Amino acid sequence: MIDEAFVPFDIWGGAGKDTADAANVVNVGSSPTRPSIKVYACGPMGGLSSKDADAWRQELKALCGPAVIILSPMRGVPNVDNISPSYEANLIFHHKGVTARDRFDVQQCDIMVANLIGMTREKGSVGSIMEYGWANAYGKVIVTIAPQQEAAWGPNFLVADHPMIKTVTDYRVASIADAAKVVLAYLP
C-alpha cells in the first residue's frame, strides 16, 4: 500500500498535492491506475469439488473488481483430492508445496477473507485454522464470513465462535458481499 505522506503528487489523476502539474500522474498505458490490495481467500477445500471450493472465491473476485488481487489457494489446483503423496513427482501440489505457497500468500496479502460458513467443530478445515494463525502473526486484517449465531459446544458448534477465532477476527460478516464491502473500504 502507498503511504500518501510520501507521494509528492495525486496518483488518482488530479492536480498534485505539492504541484498543480497534472503530468505527474502515475500512468500505466494511457490511463491513471489505482494501487491494488491483495486478499487471501481462506476457506475449506477438502471434501469439496474444485468447482465448489472455488465458487465463493470467484464471487468475491467479481464483487471486489480489478483493484483487488485475490490470492486463491485453488489457483492451479486441478482437483483438491489430487494432492500428490510424492514430493518428487509434484513439488507444488505435494502437501509441503501447498503449505509453503499458502503461507507465502498469507504473508504477502493485506487482508485475509475467511469463509467459515458451514464450518463446524465436526466439519472443520485444519488448513484454514493454520492460515488464521499465520494471518494473525503477520498482522493481517482478518475478515470472517460466518452466520451471526452462537451454538453451544457440540457437533454443530461453529468454528467462527471459537474464542481464539473471535479474538483474531477484525470483521465478522454474514455474506461474501459484505466481506467485499469491507475489502473495498481498504482501497486507498
Side-chain angles (χ1 to χ4, degrees), residues 21-94:
D21 183 1
N24 285 328
V25 175
V26 174
N27 283 289
V28 174
S30 63
S31 64
T33 60
R34 295 177 74 169
S36 61
I37 59 174
K38 293 180 184 176
V39 173
Y40 182 76
C42 165
M45 293 169 43
L48 300 172
S49 70
S50 293
K51 182 180 177 182
D52 289 341
D54 196 44
W56 80 269
R57 292 172 170 94
Q58 292 303 319
E59 181 180 350
L60 179 66
K61 182 177 181 177
L63 290 166
C64 288
V68 177
I69 298 168
I70 302 295
L71 301 173
S72 172
M74 293 298 300
R75 71 181 184 280
V77 177
N79 183 333
V80 293
D81 293 326
N82 208 17
I83 302 298
S84 176
S86 170
Y87 185 64
E88 293 76 23
N90 194 333
L91 296 176
I92 298 299
F93 298 120
H94 178 270

Side-chain angles (χ1 to χ4, degrees), residues 112-134:
M112 183 179 85
V113 173
N115 185 352
L116 299 188
I117 293 174
M119 194 182 296
T120 64
R121 191 183 85 171
E122 302 237 334
K123 187 181 174 187
S125 168
V126 174
S128 294
I129 301 311
M130 187 78 172
E131 291 160 352
Y132 265 91
W134 293 332

